[in-house]
């Protein structure tokens, strides 16, 4: 038997979610190393991994065959393989049909895809059908005869598998007999699920996860052995020694399956082939030119030259249709904006969206409305976005307020057709925490301990879970199931877990997209997804339009509305004063909590040093706290030079070479922006625009050492030959500066767009503080700080915050006539939006509630909702300010009050409740716990304020007192953790932002201290920190505490206010919360309700 | 309960004789790999054979301990 005659035609990757255990490229590499010349990828009802597979195979020299294992509506499987382009189109359409009704349930939960044989019949051309796997394949004669009718005997094979399970030889003997009776050939396949033996173990665990059970409990569901690991052709041929014809058939069949996914799929975007597009685009630009650059204006001549140049480049690249398409979508957004905002409202003055990213540098984008930033006035160079040597489509990213984006996406589906438009998919992958939780459960480890390890984990690589286990549970867990957890998690790292939605990428096409890639319904109604992620879409040549939802845009629009309602002022944010002194004072003092981009702990530290004075400075500012400038060593030189220039306007900025003056003048000789990499490469090393862009790409995320090295040699050579005074040593130094930047930074155009929004949001905060806070609170989640911290900071600025009140609050937050911010009833967790609407409606219709009885009879909300409102203090005004009285009375009232039935709210008789017995008032600590448990924030006393006397006893000082202490003083500070960060650029140093009733302070935790107190640092919401106070003039006087010891802040004994016990809300959820709460540190009631804060790079977590 | 068996096998592990009786034919062969996460992992290669005496016998090689066993 020829060992090479076997071709594997049935193989699953991890895109058979929770079934396959290997990445496509791992399968490709393993196949080559085991002597395969070709391999078919046949994931379950999905082509999500196909492009990745095709690209990896092409790069490494394996022939890729495409297909899918398709589920029939009776649960059986068939394996479909693509022979040609028609087959690919049909498979994409068939899988689209399979998924069409997978989100039809009331909650749009995902159900299993399936197709009827009639669907297969409609889409069978160009496909070869195998009869399916050993476990669930087709093996009855009537169905096989139907398949013959669809595919003919030429394109149908009886599939033989040998999973080394009991009875599979008998099964194969039966299948061979069936094939003989039907006159069709057999073919052998391996049903591969892993590329190496270690992943076969993981595959067992994935089966347990998929079935929500443990390894111990799912034996019948697992494969029983590891024969599904990709083997050698020789071994597979030996496994099928009884069926040599079936082995030989693999080769014969593979030769017919010639479809190449890396070839042109025929995708075109609308307008791509419009011969008149160049003229149309020029006309659109000219029509707006005089308005933007009127005759006699300062930049008119420059702008005209730039427009001519841009239109010439666009014409040369054939991209006019690309710009017109983006404009068309923006015009669509304009219609949507009118619908969402209304015609005459305060928001109607605002554009529907705005550009971000490098496209902001284009005057064509500016004139077509795709960018709100004037590239000429802001001195934005075009090269990064558009140049004659472009080889891929440029990116135009558009930001929209969330409400506009929500309506715009389904509108695009309507306008371009559901077959021709789709969102781009994303695939969340296994990282440490998810792997610990899911694999730990599969291994049957104690839930409390799993949660403790997960919470203590660094959160990124699942390859270091052994360290997380050591750290959380001690070093005694290095054997048995804990050791397996570490091993399995390391294997799972990076594997896709399920299909999700990209943040905003959308594809539109002239031909049906379903001919190129399967489309599936998204979780949100009215949206659909392509089965490919952005990389696969890019590899396919698809144009991705990014329609991003930007929370701050929504917040500023909401703020403008609040201002109009309360003060009758109509604000046009494009015409506000951009040199407002009060605004810049706040920015320079880092008084920026809540504003866009420049509010984070790191940004605040930087603001005190850079002290921005203009929009240009803010353009730099938003770009400076990025890995590129930090790793590239630009930040400190920039800040120091800025400080020296401020002290001495005659200070001469040093440049490494005179040719760098022009490109680096705005950033004082340092590289802050991506475009400067291009400019330096051109001015210093003589690169063309395209070569410089190639260098930037080589240094971007997918860094290639060889590619960078090629650019390196060319750079040094170019610089020394272009400039007689440049030595090789100097050229190397400049290259190090360039390569240090590495691409993790903003283009200047993006900095300008974001800097402008940073200014606008700060301006609103300064002049309309209560309205701005209201808007932030109602647009959560967004920004760096949780609502609790935003409220506390506003209180410190003198803004009064009023708790939710059933007689005063609306659903959202509002500014009162007196300028206080009233928290909306929507903030009370566990009360549904329709219940709030009914309550507010009843109040507006029938007047304020006179008593709890009245509330109970008119509110239209169920007992759980009323209890949550009472716990939140929203009923305090009805009971003399005592939550316990309210709860006692509700307990009586709710048993008799209205019940919402099918016919709507049932009217209830007025009740005459008995007076409550004498109840002890709710202690302050318990009221605070109840605030957090019900609204996620407290507007009364800060938790640290309640612990102040204890902290005083321990010698701790308030954060306000730190400013009065000298540099170097030993201090002890207690605080609520507002953020935890451990930037990759900080060499293991961790930063905590602590808050008490007086303010916030930055705590610096060295790697040594972190290792000693890791669990407290990572998981405790209330901390006591001992350390050294640091205050440097060069840091603008900012205070840090360099921690020596970090411990959990012990809360005094008290009676806990258990808001959960009396609520009949979802018991399973409460049990889950209780388990999580008790898992980490016992029964501390505060940790269970502490606000979710920025936790490392994982967003807000509790 | 399985008991120890004297099995001669070829290079591929296929039984040639079981407890002194030659093997006439192999009916089935399967592999069990399970409970690897416990203290008692299971790795067994099973063979269902027909001996020259006409008996149907199921034997397995324990791939952890390397011994042969037969089911009664």
């Amino acid at each position: 038997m020829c060992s090479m005659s076997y071709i594997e035609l049935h193989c699953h990757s991890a895109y058979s979610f929770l079934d396959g255990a290997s990445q496509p490229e791992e399968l490709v590499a393993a196949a080559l190393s085991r002597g395969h010349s070709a391999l078919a990828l046949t994931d379950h009802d999905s082509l999500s991994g196909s492009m990745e597979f095709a690209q990896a195979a092409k790069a490494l020299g394996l022939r890729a065959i495409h297909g899918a294992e398709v589920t029939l509506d009776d649960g059986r499987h068939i394996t479909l393989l693509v022979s040609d382009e028609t087959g690919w189109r049909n498979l994409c359409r068939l899988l689209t049909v399979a998924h069409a009704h997978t989100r039809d349930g009331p909650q749009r939960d995902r159900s299993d895809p399936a197709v009827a044989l009639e669907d297969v019949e409609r889409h069978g051309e160009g496909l070869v059908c195998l009869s399916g796997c050993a476990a669930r394949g087709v093996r009855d004669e009537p169905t096989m005869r139907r398949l013959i009718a669809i595919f003919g005997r030429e394109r149908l094979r009886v599939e033989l598998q040998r999973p080394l399970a009991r009875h599979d030889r008998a099964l194969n003997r039966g299948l061979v007999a069936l094939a003989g009776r039907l006159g069709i050939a057999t073919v052998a396949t391996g049903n591969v699920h892993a590329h190496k033996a270690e992943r076969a173990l993981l595959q067992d665990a994935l089966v347990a996860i998929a079935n929500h059970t443990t390894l111990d409990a799912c034996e019948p569901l697992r494969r029983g052995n590891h024969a599904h690991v990709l083997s050698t052709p020789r071994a597979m041929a030996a496994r099928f020694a009884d069926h040599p014809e079936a082995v030989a058939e693999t080769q014969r069949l593979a030769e017919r399956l010639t479809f190449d996914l890396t070839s042109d799929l025929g995708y075109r975007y609308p307008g791509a082939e419009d011969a008149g597009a160049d003229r149309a685009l020029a006309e659109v630009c000219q029509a707006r030119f005089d308005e933007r650059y009127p005759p006699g204006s300062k930049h008119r001549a420059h702008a005209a030259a730039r427009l001519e140049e841009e239109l010439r480049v666009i014409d040369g690249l054939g991209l006019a249709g690309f710009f017109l398409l983006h404009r068309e979508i923006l015009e669509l957004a304009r219609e949507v904006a009118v619908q969402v905002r209304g015609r005459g409202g305060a928001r109607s003055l605002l554009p529907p969206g705005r550009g971000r990213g490098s496209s902001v540098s284009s005057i064509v984008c500016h004139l077509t409305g795709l960018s709100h930033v004037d590239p000429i006035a802001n001195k934005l160079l075009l090269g990064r976005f558009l140049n004659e040597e472009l080889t891929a489509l440029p990116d135009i990213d558009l930001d929209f307020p969330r409400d506009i984006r929500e309506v715009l996406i389904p509108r695009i589906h309507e306008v371009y057709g559901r077959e021709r438009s789709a969102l781009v998919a994303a695939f969340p992958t296994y990282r440490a925490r998810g792997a610990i939780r899911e694999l730990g459960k599969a291994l049957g480890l104690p839930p409390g301990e799993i949660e403790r390890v997960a919470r203590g984990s660094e959160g990124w690589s699942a390859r270091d879970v052994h360290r997380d286990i050591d750290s959380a549970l001690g070093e005694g867990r290095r054997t048995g199931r804990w050791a397996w957890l570490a091993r399995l998690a390391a294997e799972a790292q990076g594997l896709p877990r399920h299909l999700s939605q990209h943040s905003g990428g959308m594809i539109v096409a002239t031909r049906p997209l379903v001919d190129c890639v399967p489309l599936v319904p998204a979780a949100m109604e009215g949206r659909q997804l392509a089965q490919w992620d952005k990389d696969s879409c890019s590899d396919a040549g698809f144009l991705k339009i990014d329609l991003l939802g930007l929370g701050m845009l929504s917040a500023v629009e909401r703020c403008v509305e609040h201002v109009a309602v309360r003060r009758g002022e109509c604000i046009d944010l494009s015409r506000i004063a951009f040199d407002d002194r009060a605004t810049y004072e706040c920015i320079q003092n880092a008084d920026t909590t809540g504003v866009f981009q420049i509010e984070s702990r790191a940004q605040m530290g930087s603001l005190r040093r850079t002290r921005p004075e203009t929009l240009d400075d803010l353009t730099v500012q938003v770009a400076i706290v990025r890995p590129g400038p930090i790793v590239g060593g630009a930040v400190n030189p920039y800040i120091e030079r800025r400080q020296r220039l401020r002290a001495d306007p005659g200070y001469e900025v040093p440049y490494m070479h005179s040719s760098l003056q022009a490109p680096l003048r705005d950033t004082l000789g340092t590289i802050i922006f991506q475009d400067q990499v291009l400019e330096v490469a051109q001015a210093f090393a003589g690169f063309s625009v395209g070569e410089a862009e190639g260098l930037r790409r080589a240094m971007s995320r997918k860094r290639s050492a060889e590619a960078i090295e090629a650019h390196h040699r060319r750079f040094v050579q170019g610089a020394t030959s272009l400039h007689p005074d440049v030595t090789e040593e100097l050229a190397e130094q400049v290259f190090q500066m360039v390569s240090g930047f590495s691409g993790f930074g903003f283009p200047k155009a993006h900095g300008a767009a974001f800097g402008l929004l940073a200014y606008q949001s700060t301006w609103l905060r300064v002049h309309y503080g209560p309205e701005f806070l209201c808007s932030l609170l109602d647009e959560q989640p967004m920004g760096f700080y949780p609502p609790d911290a935003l409220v506390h900071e506003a209180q410190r600025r003198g803004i009064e915050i009023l708790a939710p009140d059933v007689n005063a609050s609306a659903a959202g937050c509002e500014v009162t006539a007196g300028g206080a911010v009233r928290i909306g009833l929507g903030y009370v967790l566990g009360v549904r939006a329709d219940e709030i609407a009914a309550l507010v409606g009843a109040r507006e219709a029938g007047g304020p509630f006179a008593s709890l009885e009245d509330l109970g009879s008119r509110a239209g909300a169920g007992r759980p909702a009323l209890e949550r409102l009472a716990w939140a203090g929203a009923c305090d005004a009805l009971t003399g300010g005592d939550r316990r009285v309210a709860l006692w009375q509700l307990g009586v009232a709710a048993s008799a009050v209205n019940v919402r039935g099918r016919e709507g709210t049932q009217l209830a008789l007025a009740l005459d409740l008995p007076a409550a017995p004498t109840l002890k008032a709710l202690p302050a600590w318990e009221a605070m716990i109840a605030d957090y448990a019900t609204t996620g924030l407290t507007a009364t006393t800060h938790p640290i304020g309640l612990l102040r006397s204890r902290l005083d006893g321990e010698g701790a000082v308030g954060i306000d007192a730190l400013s009065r202490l000298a540099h170097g003083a030993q201090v002890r500070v207690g605080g609520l953790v507002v953020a935890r960060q451990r930037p990759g650029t900080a060499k293991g140093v961790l930063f905590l932002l602590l808050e008490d009733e007086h303010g916030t302070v930055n705590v610096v935790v060295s790697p040594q201290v972190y290792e000693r107190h890791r669990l407290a640092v990572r998981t405790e919401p209330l901390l006591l920190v001992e350390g050294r106070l640091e205050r440097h003039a060069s840091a603008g006087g900012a205070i840090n505490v360099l921690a020596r010891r970090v411990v959990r802040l012990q809360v005094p004994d008290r009676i806990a206010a258990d808001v959960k016990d009396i609520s009949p809300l979802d018991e399973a959820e409460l049990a889950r919360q209780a388990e999580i709460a008790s898992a980490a540190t016992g029964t501390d009631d505060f940790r269970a309700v502490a606000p979710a804060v920025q936790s490392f790079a994982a967003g807000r977590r509790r | 309960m399985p008991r120890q068996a004297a099995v001669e096998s070829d290079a591929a592990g296929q039984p040639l004789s079981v407890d002194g009786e030659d093997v006439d034919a192999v009916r089935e062969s399967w592999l069990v790999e399970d409970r690897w996460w416990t203290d008692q992992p299971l790795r067994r290669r099973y063979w269902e054979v027909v001996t020259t005496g006409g008996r149907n016998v199921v034997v397995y090689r324990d791939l952890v301990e390397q011994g042969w066993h037969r089911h009664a």
Side-chain angles (χ1 to χ4, degrees):
Chain A
M1 165 111 19
C2 170
S3 66
M4 296 306 288
S5 65
Y6 180 85
I7 304 285
E8 185 53 75
L9 294 174
H10 191 138
C11 172
H12 295 270
S13 76
Y15 289 97
S16 291
F17 302 113
L18 299 182
D19 190 23
S22 298
Q23 304 268 21
E25 60 264 40
E26 291 174 328
L27 289 163
V28 169
L32 283 168
S33 73
R34 277 162 220 173
H36 290 266
S37 57
L39 176 69
L41 186 70
T42 54
D43 281 316
H44 287 296
D45 303 301
S46 171
L47 296 175
S48 287
S50 56
M51 184 57 83
E52 210 174 308
F53 175 63
Q55 296 293 334
K58 188 176 186 180
L60 296 175
L62 183 80
R63 193 160 78 78
I65 297 168
H66 297 283
E69 187 167 12
V70 175
T71 307
L72 300 176
D73 53 10
D74 57 8
R76 290 186 293 176
H77 293 167
I78 53 174
T79 311
L80 296 178
L81 298 169
V82 176
S83 62
D84 55 22
E85 284 174 22
T86 305
W88 177 259
R89 280 201 298 277
N90 271 326
L91 187 55
C92 291
R93 283 184 175 260
L94 185 63
L95 292 177
T96 301
V97 170
H99 287 267
H101 298 289
T102 49
R103 295 279 190 182
D104 284 357
Q107 305 298 318
R108 294 187 64 78
D109 291 337
R110 193 178 283 145
S111 59
D112 294 333
V115 290
L117 276 174
E118 291 75 18
D119 301 319
V120 179
E121 193 165 10
R122 271 194 293 276
H123 302 294
E125 195 185 341
L127 295 170
V128 169
C129 178
L130 316 186
S131 62
C133 57
R136 292 168 71 181
V138 171
R139 60 188 73 145
D140 69 294
E141 209 163 311
T143 312
M144 285 301 290
R145 289 199 181 280
R146 283 202 66 186
L147 292 174
I148 291 173
I150 296 168
F151 294 100
R153 286 182 171 78
E154 269 303 289
R155 292 190 290 123
L156 177 64
R157 298 287 178 275
V158 170
E159 190 169 357
L160 304 185
Q161 294 187 341
R162 185 76 172 94
L164 300 182
R166 193 169 193 181
H167 306 310
D168 61 0
R169 292 181 80 189
L171 174 64
N172 283 343
R173 284 193 288 270
L175 288 171
V176 169
L178 174 69
R181 283 198 302 281
L182 296 170
I184 54 179
T186 58
V187 66
T189 71
N191 203 7
V192 171
H193 280 67
H195 77 290
K196 61 176 183 174
E198 291 86 343
R199 292 292 172 85
L201 309 182
L202 178 66
Q203 202 277 336
D204 279 339
L206 293 178
V207 171
I209 292 169
N211 289 282
H212 309 289
T213 184
T214 63
L215 279 161
D216 295 295
C218 67
E219 197 228 318
L221 303 172
R222 277 184 274 110
R223 313 190 78 78
N225 61 42
H226 301 150
H228 53 84
V229 176
L230 183 69
S231 193
T232 62
R234 179 190 295 270
M236 289 307 291
R239 195 187 288 185
F240 287 97
D242 299 347
H243 305 287
E245 265 306 300
V247 173
E249 185 62 18
T250 63
Q251 181 95 22
R252 285 195 289 270
L253 205 50
E255 282 166 9
R256 292 170 46 187
L257 305 171
T258 55
F259 173 70
D260 178 3
L261 186 53
T262 63
S263 64
D264 182 5
L265 290 176
Y267 166 86
R268 300 288 181 275
Y269 58 81
E273 292 162 329
D274 176 2
D278 294 327
R279 206 181 60 222
L281 180 65
E283 284 170 2
V284 169
C285 293
Q286 288 299 344
R288 295 292 300 278
F289 187 83
D290 281 348
E291 184 191 323
R292 296 278 182 190
Y293 304 97
S297 64
K298 184 177 166 191
H299 299 301
R300 184 176 167 90
H302 188 179
R306 173 73 166 267
L307 177 60
E308 191 180 333
E309 169 67 7
E310 273 192 38
L311 289 173
R312 190 186 60 74
V313 173
I314 289 168
D315 190 8
L317 292 168
L319 285 176
F322 167 89
F323 284 86
L324 289 173
L325 173 63
H326 280 81
R327 179 171 180 272
E328 200 172 286
I329 284 177
L330 193 74
E331 290 303 309
L332 199 58
R334 210 176 295 282
E335 288 171 26
V336 167
V338 170
Q339 176 194 333
V340 170
R341 294 165 170 166
R343 275 193 187 277
R347 288 174 70 190
S348 63
L349 287 175
L350 303 168
R354 48 170 85 183
R356 71 153 79 175
S358 58
S359 66
V360 172
S361 63
S362 156
I363 194 167
V364 168
C365 285
H366 186 51
L367 293 171
T368 51
L370 294 167
S371 157
H372 58 298
V373 175
D374 181 346
I376 308 300
N378 285 279
K379 292 181 274 183
L380 301 175
L381 297 181
L382 184 66
R384 157 87 177 78
F385 173 65
L386 195 63
N387 63 71
E388 285 165 318
E389 297 170 44
L390 272 189
T391 52
L393 289 170
D395 284 333
I396 297 182
D397 299 340
L398 296 171
D399 285 326
F400 293 98
R402 289 162 171 165
D403 52 359
I404 291 176
R405 180 176 174 273
E406 260 185 40
V407 181
L408 177 61
I409 288 171
R411 186 67 58 82
I412 290 174
H413 284 326
E414 284 168 28
V415 170
Y416 291 93
R418 294 189 65 78
E419 284 199 328
R420 289 172 165 78
S421 61
L423 289 159
V424 175
F427 301 105
T429 56
Y430 272 112
R431 295 187 186 280
R433 285 197 187 95
I436 291 166
R437 289 191 173 111
E438 294 197 343
L439 293 167
K441 185 180 168 197
L443 285 162
L445 292 164
E449 294 189 350
I450 293 172
E451 194 54 31
R452 194 166 178 175
V453 175
R455 286 188 175 188
S457 164
E458 291 284 350
W460 284 108
S461 174
R463 296 198 176 93
D464 297 326
V465 165
H466 61 283
R467 285 188 59 220
D468 299 328
I469 296 169
D470 283 356
S471 169
L473 306 176
E475 294 180 7
R477 312 290 178 101
R478 289 188 175 173
T479 56
R481 296 185 184 217
W482 286 106
W484 279 114
L485 174 61
R487 283 180 61 177
L488 291 174
E491 293 295 337
Q493 164 67 27
L495 292 188
R497 193 196 174 283
H498 57 271
L499 180 142
S500 180
Q501 184 185 316
H502 180 261
S503 54
M506 191 145 199
I507 310 287
V508 290
T510 49
R511 65 179 289 189
L513 262 180
V514 286
D515 286 341
C516 303
V517 60
L519 305 184
V520 302
M524 288 181 79
E525 200 169 358
R527 299 182 182 192
Q528 59 182 2
L529 298 170
Q531 275 192 339
W532 283 344
D533 68 1
K534 64 181 173 63
D535 291 336
S536 289
C537 286
S538 168
D539 287 337
F542 291 179
L543 162 62
K544 175 167 71 70
I545 302 173
D546 274 318
L547 311 171
L548 304 164
L550 187 59
M552 184 53 79
L553 268 189
S554 304
V556 297
E557 292 209 1
R558 194 183 276 271
C559 183
V560 163
E561 262 183 349
H562 278 305
V563 171
V565 169
R566 176 164 171 255
R567 311 193 196 212
E569 296 175 29
C570 218
I571 298 170
D572 180 350
L573 282 174
S574 66
R575 294 171 197 278
I576 61 174
F578 288 104
D579 56 355
D580 181 58
R581 189 174 169 161
T583 301
Y584 279 112
E585 269 178 17
C586 271
I587 291 171
Q588 289 162 7
N589 294 326
D591 186 8
T592 52
T593 302
V595 310
F596 189 56
Q597 288 282 310
I598 53 171
E599 61 161 350
S600 70
R601 179 199 55 74
Q603 274 285 0
M604 283 187 177
S606 167
L607 285 173
R608 292 192 184 92
R609 303 170 69 195
T610 54
R611 303 184 67 79
E613 295 169 20
T614 62
L615 280 181
D616 283 347
D617 293 345
L618 283 175
T619 300
V620 175
Q621 188 64 38
V622 296
I624 203 168
V625 184
R626 304 283 302 165
I630 294 171
V631 176
V635 179
N636 284 328
Y638 171 78
I639 292 175
E640 280 160 21
R641 289 169 196 176
R642 198 171 158 78
Q643 287 173 327
R644 290 189 68 169
L645 264 178
R646 199 160 44 240
D648 171 15
Y651 167 70
E652 280 198 22
V653 173
Y655 293 92
M656 292 170 82
H657 184 257
S658 56
S659 65
L660 298 176
Q661 277 196 22
L664 303 183
R665 181 173 291 116
D666 291 347
T667 52
L668 309 182
T670 64
I671 297 182
I672 305 282
F673 301 116
Q674 263 182 19
D675 353 23
Q676 289 176 313
V677 169
L678 277 69
E679 294 169 47
V680 167
Q682 289 173 264
F684 183 72
F687 276 34
S688 69
V689 179
E691 285 175 320
E693 176 61 11
L695 169 63
R696 190 196 67 78
R697 279 177 184 264
M699 294 191 312
S700 67
R701 282 168 191 265
K702 288 181 181 172
R703 299 182 78 167
S704 153
E706 294 102 51
I708 290 178
E709 189 46 38
H711 286 294
H712 180 185
R713 286 193 301 274
R714 164 88 183 80
F715 188 95
V716 173
Q717 200 178 26
T720 48
S721 55
L722 186 63
H723 308 287
D725 58 337
V726 170
T727 62
E728 200 161 304
E729 191 185 357
L730 177 61
E732 287 286 352
Q733 283 174 7
V734 175
F735 186 79
Q736 291 312 316
M737 177 171 77
V738 168
S739 65
F741 185 87
S742 80
F744 295 94
F746 286 169
K748 186 179 180 190
H750 186 75
F754 272 26
L756 179 61
L757 187 55
Y759 179 87
Q760 289 166 325
S761 56
T762 313
W763 184 87
L764 286 171
R765 181 182 179 273
V766 167
H767 297 288
Y768 303 96
E771 288 88 348
F772 186 66
L773 175 67
C774 246
S775 311
L776 291 182
L777 291 177
D778 276 342
E779 286 296 338
Q780 295 292 315
M782 62 172 286
F784 188 79
Y785 299 95
D788 185 52
L790 293 174
V791 160
H792 295 160
E793 192 272 342
Q795 287 174 316
R796 292 195 294 272
R797 281 189 288 136
I799 295 176
E800 187 184 4
I801 311 294
L802 303 171
D805 182 342
V806 291
N807 265 343
S809 293
C813 299
E814 285 185 326
V815 183
T816 67
V821 173
R822 166 81 66 189
I823 304 294
L825 295 174
Y827 253 80
V828 182
L829 304 167
V831 185
R832 297 193 314 266
D834 62 321
E835 292 176 314
I836 293 169
L839 187 153
V840 173
R843 190 181 73 208
E844 285 171 355
F849 303 108
S851 63
L852 269 176
E853 298 95 306
D854 189 24
L855 173 69
S857 64
R858 285 203 287 137
R863 171 177 167 162
L866 294 177
E867 282 179 358
R868 300 295 289 185
L869 289 166
W871 268 114
C875 303
D876 282 6
L878 303 179
T879 55
D882 194 326
R883 295 184 205 193
R884 280 194 170 159
V885 171
L887 285 161
W888 189 89
Q889 290 193 341
L890 272 177
V892 178
S895 59
V897 296
N898 53 12
V899 178
R900 289 179 73 92
R902 281 187 193 167
E903 306 304 319
T905 303
Q906 193 179 332
L907 292 177
L909 297 173
L911 292 166
D912 186 15
L913 295 180
T918 306
L919 297 167
K920 198 174 154 190
L922 201 63
W925 180 267
E926 294 183 16
M928 180 272 296
I929 293 284
D931 284 348
Y932 278 114
T934 52
T935 62
L937 59 87
T938 185
T940 50
T941 313
H942 193 284
I944 297 295
L946 295 173
L947 300 173
R948 181 54 64 199
S949 61
R950 182 187 181 93
L951 286 164
D952 288 344
E954 293 194 15
V957 296
I959 288 170
D960 56 333
L962 296 177
S963 62
R964 298 191 290 275
L965 298 174
H967 172 76
Q970 294 298 322
V971 295
R972 190 176 281 193
V973 188
L976 169 66
V977 176
V978 173
R980 298 181 180 91
Q981 290 183 304
R982 199 180 193 203
T985 50
K987 298 177 182 138
V989 174
L990 184 141
F991 301 98
L992 293 170
L993 191 62
L994 284 192
E995 180 196 70
D996 72 4
E997 69 274 40
H998 305 296
T1000 58
V1001 68
N1002 197 24
V1003 176
V1004 182
V1005 183
S1006 68
Q1008 297 77 17
V1009 174
Y1010 174 58
E1011 286 307 322
R1012 276 206 303 277
H1013 305 288
R1014 181 167 157 163
L1015 207 55
V1017 170
R1018 292 193 67 87
T1019 63
E1020 291 297 338
L1022 296 174
L1023 291 176
L1024 183 64
V1025 175
E1026 292 174 19
R1028 199 169 85 106
L1029 186 145
E1030 298 211 320
R1031 176 169 37 203
H1032 297 286
S1034 61
I1039 292 171
N1040 290 331
V1041 173
L1042 184 58
R1044 188 179 60 249
R1045 182 167 173 262
V1046 181
V1047 294
R1048 176 188 178 194
L1049 187 52
Q1050 296 289 338
V1051 177
D1053 292 342
R1054 74 217 159 269
I1055 300 166
D1058 193 345
V1059 294
K1060 297 162 197 144
D1061 275 356
I1062 64 157
S1063 172
L1065 288 173
D1066 184 344
E1067 286 178 11
E1069 173 60 14
L1070 294 178
R1072 191 189 70 79
Q1073 288 179 8
E1075 182 184 271
I1076 291 171
S1078 61
T1081 52
T1083 55
D1084 185 352
D1085 52 0
F1086 187 77
R1087 98 171 324 285
V1089 300
V1093 300
Q1094 288 292 336
S1095 196
F1096 303 92
R1100 288 191 199 151
R1101 287 174 183 275
R1102 195 172 272 165
Chain B
M1 284 291 288
R3 58 180 173 79
Q4 284 198 336
V7 177
E8 286 180 40
S9 59
D10 67 12
Q14 182 171 319
L16 300 173
S17 73
V18 177
D19 290 335
E21 275 191 279
D22 287 347
V23 170
D24 190 34
V26 174
R27 290 173 59 87
E28 283 287 351
S29 169
W30 67 98
L31 177 67
V32 173
E33 292 171 304
D34 204 12
R35 308 197 61 75
W36 44 264
W37 62 93
T38 71
D39 294 337
Q40 292 166 314
L42 210 61
R43 286 193 67 221
R44 294 175 180 175
R45 182 68 191 256
Y46 282 85
W47 300 88
E48 184 180 348
V49 297
V50 181
T51 65
T52 47
R55 262 188 291 272
N56 213 39
V57 180
V58 174
V59 295
Y60 68 83
R61 181 161 178 81
D62 189 317
L63 300 173
V64 179
E65 294 169 359
Q66 303 300 324
W68 282 96
H69 303 263
R70 69 181 283 173
H71 285 275

